[in-house]
Each structure stands twice: as C-alpha cells, then as structure tokens.
Amino acid sequence: MSIIEPKIDVLLSETDNDRFLLCALASKRAHDINDMMRGQRDRAIQLQTAVEIARAADKKPLSLAFTEIARGEVSFDPASIDVKNH
C-alpha cells in the first residue's frame, strides 16, 4: 500500500517532518471521522438505501484524514507533545 495523494513530503511538512507525529495525527483524525460517519450512517439508513450510502462514503477515513492534514485543516499543539516519551 502506498500514499499517492497527498504526497508524503507535503504531509511531513505539516508535522515538522516527524513521521510518528504524522501517524498519530492521521490515526486520531481518522478515528474521529469514522465515529462521525458511523453516526451519520445510522441516521441515513432511515432515509436512504444502503447502496446510496455506500456511494456517498467512497473514501476511507484515513484517506480523508491525510487530505485534511495536507490542507492544513488538522493541527497540533507542540507544547502538548511529551518529547521524552515520543
């Protein structure tokens, strides 16, 4: 598996070239997106068919998270990172 878009260089530049921080940010954001999609899916099932929902959610949460990070929509507080245990 490889990341094609957004480019890894762009993603790393958003996380101070720290690949572990990138992984942690992407994982946390993807988890949040997944929770939101799950909640939306429960409500949407009452209004739409499963096929329509599947078409609407064609991107995976991790792909959405990487895209948001590349656009600068996901940020972090450097002061909150424990450098000794990072």
Side-chain angles (χ1 to χ4, degrees):
M1 182 169 108
S2 66
I3 298 173
I4 297 173
E5 286 296 327
K7 300 286 186 194
I8 191 72
D9 297 334
V10 173
L11 291 168
L12 286 173
S13 70
E14 292 293 327
T15 58
D16 299 333
N17 290 320
D18 187 337
R19 63 182 184 264
F20 299 108
L21 179 57
L22 172 61
C23 181
L25 279 177
S27 174
K28 175 137 179 60
R29 182 61 185 141
H31 182 78
D32 292 344
I33 291 170
N34 195 30
D35 286 347
M36 286 188 296
M37 289 174 68
R38 190 175 300 127
Q40 292 295 329
R41 188 172 292 129
D42 292 342
R43 284 192 295 273
I45 285 174
Q46 297 172 357
L47 303 173
Q48 297 174 320
T49 67
V51 174
E52 291 170 336
I53 295 167
R55 282 192 207 129
D58 62 342
K59 288 190 98 175
K60 303 283 185 199
L62 190 57
S63 296
L64 293 171
F66 280 135
T67 301
E68 289 178 359
I69 291 169
R71 290 191 304 226
E73 296 173 0
V74 177
S75 62
F76 63 97
D77 180 14
S80 68
I81 298 172
D82 183 4
V83 177
K84 292 179 185 176
N85 295 317
H86 178 63

